[in-house]
Amino acid sequence: MTAVLRPRRAALAALLSLALAACALPVNRAPVQQTYRLTAPEIRTAPLPQATVIQLLPVRAAAGFQSPAMMYSRSPDTLEPYRDSRWLAPPAQLVGEAIDRTLSRQPWISAVQQQAVLVNAPWTLHCKLNRLEHDVHANQGTVHLGLVCELANQRTSRIAAHWHFDGSQPIAVNDAAHFAQGAQALLDQALKNIVEHTRAAVAAAQS
């Protein structure tokens, strides 16, 4: 009887040793996905004699910037997505939401319409995101934001203003977190630009 139990005990001991060894092995876990967003800054301007309504069309995106991927370039002719970092939504959508919130805070704008059209808005704003990328091929990283906008006066059926924003922001560290910070700084400038151009056109029409 004792001779039979010894092989069984040896087998159990071997299995236990394998189980303990397996517990000690490192586990290959999937990397944590980091998500970043873009927000609207606090931009305040003086009121105008009459508040107006803006029809904001969806912001279009150039090829390569239509997904939530955070894009970087190692050379002028390449564009690649970050593996473990992404935007909360496609950047054109985030930019559009920031434009909406920024304009809605202005005292000379009574409403910003997007999908729902409640009234015939006298002004229509359309923007296209041409570029939002992290340039890493230089010694110091640089974030680039390219945005082009058109403001149409519906009462005159003419383009009242057309402008480009092409901004660059150096960053100290080439990673997604600093990319997002640089992108936010550039978007703040672009939104200030949008407010200034839009207000100037509306003010000129009211004078």
Side-chain angles (χ1 to χ4, degrees):
M1 185 71 176
T2 305
V4 175
L5 290 174
R6 283 177 180 171
R8 291 182 179 176
R9 289 174 180 171
L12 289 172
L15 288 173
L16 181 60
S17 297
L18 288 173
L20 292 173
C23 292
L25 291 174
V27 178
N28 292 326
R29 293 184 175 89
V32 177
Q33 186 80 33
Q34 296 292 330
T35 303
Y36 298 91
R37 64 179 179 176
L38 298 169
T39 60
E42 288 289 336
I43 299 175
R44 302 290 182 179
T45 53
L48 291 173
Q50 184 178 355
T52 191
V53 178
I54 303 287
Q55 184 71 44
L56 178 61
L57 301 180
V59 176
R60 292 192 299 127
F65 304 100
Q66 298 167 341
S67 76
M70 298 179 75
M71 307 302 290
Y72 70 93
S73 58
R74 297 182 184 273
S75 62
D77 57 348
T78 62
L79 198 61
E80 303 174 60
Y82 269 90
R83 186 190 65 180
D84 303 326
S85 301
R86 65 193 294 274
W87 296 114
L88 181 63
Q93 180 181 334
L94 297 178
V95 170
E97 292 171 355
I99 294 173
D100 179 11
R101 289 194 295 271
T102 300
L103 291 178
S104 296
R105 293 170 179 164
Q106 306 311 311
W108 43 274
I109 294 181
S110 57
V112 177
Q113 297 184 153
Q114 293 196 66
Q115 282 79 14
V117 178
L118 304 179
V119 298
N120 291 324
W123 300 94
T124 299
L125 177 64
H126 175 251
C127 295
K128 180 184 177 184
L129 179 67
N130 288 327
R131 190 183 190 192
L132 179 56
E133 66 184 81
H134 178 190
D135 179 358
V136 299
H137 73 268
N139 292 331
Q140 185 180 43
T142 305
V143 180
H144 300 282
L145 172 63
L147 194 68
V148 58
C149 296
E150 296 173 337
L151 180 68
N153 186 332
Q154 299 300 333
R155 291 173 177 168
T156 62
S157 299
R158 292 182 177 180
I159 300 297
H162 175 92
W163 65 95
H164 294 261
F165 177 85
D166 292 301
S168 299
Q169 178 71 33
I171 54 177
V173 180
N174 282 323
D175 60 17
H178 286 80
F179 173 21
Q181 293 173 11
Q184 183 64 64
L186 290 173
L187 180 59
D188 291 353
Q189 298 174 33
L191 291 170
K192 184 174 182 293
N193 199 254
I194 288 173
V195 170
E196 290 173 349
H197 281 281
T198 304
R199 189 183 185 282
V202 173
Q206 293 184 7
S207 60

